[in-house]
Amino acid sequence: MIQTSEMTPAAVQRGAAVHLEDVRKSFNGHEVLRGVHLTVRPGEFVAIVGRSGCGKSTLLRLIAGLEQPDSGRVLVQGPPASDTPSGRGAAAPGSAFPVAQYAASQSGVRMMFQDARLLPWKRVIDNVRFAVGDSGLVGRRTAAEQAFQALDEVGLRDKAHAWPHTLSGGQRQRVALARALVSRPQLLLLDEPLGALDALTRLEMQRLLEYSWLTHGFTAVLVTHDVAEAVALADRIVLVADGKVALDRRVDSPRPRAKDAQFLRMEQEVLAHILGGQNC
Amino acid sequence: MRARSLTGWMVPVAAVLLWQVLGDAGVITTRVLPTPWQVLHAGITLAHSGELWQDVGVSAARAGIGFAIGAGTGLVLGLLNGIVPLASRLLDSTIQMIRTIPHLALVPLVILWFGIGETAKDFLVALGTMFPMYLNTYHGVRSIDPGLVEMARMYGLRGFALYRHVLLPGALPSILVGLRYALGVAWITLIVAETISADSGIGYMVMNAREFVQMDVVVLGIVLYALLGKLSDLAARGLERWWLPWRVTVGGEEA
């Protein structure tokens, strides 16, 4: 029965805010984003849906600082001072950064990709641990403890010493999630991380994502082509079509969300909007 | 697995036995080819007098020093050009041009420059081993999944940390292929260089024996080169097993 707006303030304040103002981006003369305005509040879970090739992933990569906008502004704002995670390079409290500088400051922006992107030459535990320990501020011992704890959270402690190639796709994504969690993200960007998983594993992962988001209080932006997934997880569903935000819909049903009539109505509504729009 | 590796040995062992039998029967005269037993005997005699160890030692040192210089240079250049785009634009085409010169064609020039001493051999081996090492290292760094590098950057890995956690281990399989290949080149180069001109080493031992028509020593020298080459190849494979435990071997071990 927890809703974002009613969530505990402590958790909410761990999240970063995101502001996009009139963001434009072209690739090879083709304008993918044509003036996107979007604000994500701290601790919010926003799902971005839309046809493939319409710039959903580009939008996410702009927020991540992996791409630079041709024009417009992308701002990621760290949480207020009172609850800034201490130590490793949190964004300066309460201040807004142009995202490039923000990323350069080793911020709490983390991203999960469609493929887990685990380093094949590191065992599971080391894949998680390097996300804690590179600052040198944390001792080796505590880094290992935190990594084990994160693996516990995703239920993979027994696989700590396995090589990534021995894991299933779902397990790899869980390790990737543990790696993101262990670095105490303020903003977690999810680029269809569940897209390649089978239906059952995907449901499990959705539960796990939701649970992690609720306990850690980061801001989450999920790109997905699966509208049901968006309805199940998001506080807000944003439809990107024709290079713009075509729909911005709140989802207020209580969590965890059952696939009841209200759920299906919402899914139908968003789907109708996607199918109603033209190709981009 | 065990029975299989034994199967692999059956043909060579049979061939050596046949060779011995034909030699004893006089079908193959000793002037054409000494029997395996005679070769072994020559080896034992030379080992007793200490000549063998001295020559093997000299040759191994040449291969080692030349390889260390050449492969080291190739490794550093490969990493540099793989990681720093400016260095690659500046140096790669030059290195590719020099690579087209067969290094053994330089033997006469090298003798004129350095005489027949150690420097000449070290130089040739270094030149021969540099390019396979360079090419494979460069290729290894270039073919690292850019997604992994992007992920690592996102997690704040920069500079040396990025190199240590991502670039080097990612390029390592390819680097080790280069290392194995370079070791092979090192021995071939040495054989040619020592056979043409030397005053010590296995090549000198063989050429000396040729003067006195000591067939057994000549064949012994050839066998020694083969053994040393095999030994360094085994060492390289050992490194692969040690450094790449995460590699999935498809279709099991190769011979």
Side-chain angles (χ1 to χ4, degrees):
Chain A
M1 298 307 260
I2 311 164
Q3 282 178 291
T4 335
S5 43
E6 276 85 43
M7 276 180 54
T8 52
V12 170
Q13 283 172 4
R14 282 243 202 107
V18 181
H19 305 282
L20 279 77
E21 286 168 30
D22 198 25
V23 168
R24 287 167 191 276
K25 180 75 182 173
S26 309
F27 290 104
N28 306 322
H30 174 66
E31 198 166 35
V32 183
L33 298 177
R34 314 173 184 190
V36 172
H37 294 267
L38 182 68
T39 296
V40 182
R41 299 208 320 270
E44 204 173 17
F45 199 132
V46 170
I48 299 174
V49 297
R51 288 174 187 267
S52 36
C54 286
K56 290 175 301 192
S57 290
T58 306
L59 194 60
L60 207 64
R61 293 176 65 83
L62 282 166
I63 298 174
L66 295 173
E67 309 272 357
Q68 297 306 314
D70 297 338
S71 69
R73 294 209 306 164
V74 179
L75 291 174
V76 176
Q77 191 171 22
S82 57
D83 201 48
T84 305
S86 56
R88 44 175 327 187
S95 59
F97 284 88
V99 80
Q101 291 169 29
Y102 187 82
S105 71
Q106 286 199 19
S107 68
V109 181
R110 295 291 177 250
M111 190 153 172
M112 280 178 73
F113 304 88
Q114 191 159 16
D115 47 336
R117 301 201 181 174
L118 303 181
L119 298 172
W121 44 84
K122 285 185 186 292
R123 290 177 195 274
V124 165
I125 183 72
D126 297 321
N127 258 294
V128 178
R129 191 164 62 177
F130 95 94
V132 204
D134 63 275
S135 67
L137 292 173
V138 214
R140 281 191 140 207
R141 186 77 174 271
T142 36
E145 273 167 23
Q146 288 181 33
F148 272 116
Q149 208 179 329
L151 279 180
D152 251 345
E153 254 181 270
V154 300
L156 280 179
R157 183 187 266 264
D158 56 326
K159 294 282 185 189
H161 295 289
W163 295 109
H165 71 81
T166 62
L167 304 182
S168 70
Q171 288 173 328
R172 282 179 212 178
Q173 284 297 19
R174 272 149 73 190
V175 176
L177 179 62
R179 179 176 65 189
L181 292 180
V182 86
S183 62
R184 311 227 160 274
Q186 299 164 3
L187 172 61
L188 186 59
L189 304 170
L190 304 143
D191 191 1
E192 299 200 30
L194 315 183
L197 305 180
D198 63 90
L200 197 65
T201 314
R202 187 185 298 200
L203 283 178
E204 279 174 14
M205 272 301 284
Q206 286 176 6
R207 283 279 150 83
L208 187 58
L209 266 181
E210 186 175 40
Y211 178 78
S212 308
W213 170 71
L214 286 170
T215 43
H216 289 263
F218 50 80
T219 309
V221 180
L222 167 73
V223 161
T224 181
H225 58 259
D226 181 354
V227 176
E229 185 170 289
V231 178
L233 291 175
D235 297 319
R236 263 166 69 202
I237 298 177
V238 172
L239 167 62
V240 176
D242 209 20
K244 289 184 172 152
V245 173
L247 177 77
D248 191 339
R249 186 79 165 77
R250 283 201 68 80
V251 186
D252 282 324
S253 15
R255 296 170 187 274
R257 290 174 184 155
K259 284 210 171 186
D260 53 14
Q262 197 191 348
F263 186 106
L264 293 175
R265 240 192 338 268
M266 176 73 73
E267 189 182 348
Q268 286 306 320
E269 186 194 324
V270 176
L271 263 178
H273 272 281
I274 296 177
L275 296 173
Q278 67 241 98
N279 295 334
C280 45
Chain B
M1 198 64 212
R2 200 142 205 204
R4 267 210 179 166
S5 56
L6 281 181
T7 322
W9 281 102
M10 272 163 61
V11 174
V13 167
V16 168
L17 284 177
L18 187 69
W19 174 13
Q20 177 73 42
V21 169
L22 290 179
D24 284 340
V27 179
I28 305 173
T29 60
T30 357
R31 294 194 49 185
V32 176
L33 206 60
T35 63
W37 176 249
Q38 283 169 326
V39 174
L40 192 66
H41 189 74
I44 292 166
T45 315
L46 286 174
H48 259 290
S49 72
E51 276 176 70
L52 183 72
W53 305 122
Q54 209 200 331
D55 285 326
V56 168
V58 166
S59 287
R62 284 172 184 159
I65 293 170
F67 179 81
I69 297 172
T73 313
L75 180 71
V76 170
L77 280 176
L79 287 173
L80 182 74
N81 287 1
I83 295 170
V84 186
L86 179 68
S88 166
R89 280 201 299 277
L90 206 61
L91 297 173
D92 185 54
S93 53
T94 311
I95 296 174
Q96 299 289 354
M97 269 187 262
I98 300 174
R99 187 176 71 92
T100 56
I101 304 171
H103 67 288
L104 291 176
L106 294 180
V107 169
L109 196 60
V110 168
I111 293 175
L112 285 175
W113 283 346
F114 304 111
I116 60 166
E118 297 310 295
T119 321
K121 272 81 183 169
D122 295 344
F123 179 82
L124 277 171
V125 172
L127 201 63
T129 53
M130 190 177 100
F131 296 109
M133 204 60 191
Y134 168 77
L135 285 179
N136 282 286
T137 307
Y138 184 60
H139 170 77
V141 176
R142 282 304 185 88
S143 55
I144 292 173
D145 178 1
L148 289 180
V149 179
E150 192 178 84
M151 180 281 297
R153 288 228 164 93
M154 185 131 231
Y155 277 87
L157 290 195
R158 298 272 182 294
F160 184 70
L162 183 68
Y163 162 80
R164 191 168 73 93
H165 290 292
V166 183
L167 298 177
L168 184 65
L172 204 53
S174 185
I175 291 176
L176 286 178
V177 170
L179 185 115
R180 253 178 102 176
Y181 190 82
L183 276 173
V185 173
W187 282 111
I188 300 250
T189 310
L190 199 64
I191 292 167
V192 173
E194 284 188 343
T195 306
I196 292 173
S197 65
D199 50 15
S200 58
I202 301 174
Y204 170 74
M205 181 186 90
V206 171
M207 290 315 279
N208 217 19
R210 187 194 55 119
E211 303 260 329
F212 300 102
V213 205
Q214 293 173 310
M215 271 306 237
D216 47 356
V217 179
V218 172
V219 176
L220 174 71
I222 295 167
V223 171
L224 277 177
Y225 276 133
L227 283 178
L228 287 168
K230 182 69 192 168
L231 211 64
S232 37
D233 197 54
L234 278 178
R237 298 247 323 261
L239 276 185
E240 276 178 22
R241 254 188 294 263
W242 181 29
W243 282 346
L244 309 175
W246 51 275
R247 291 271 280 191
V248 215
T249 40
V250 184
E253 203 88 337
E254 63 204 284

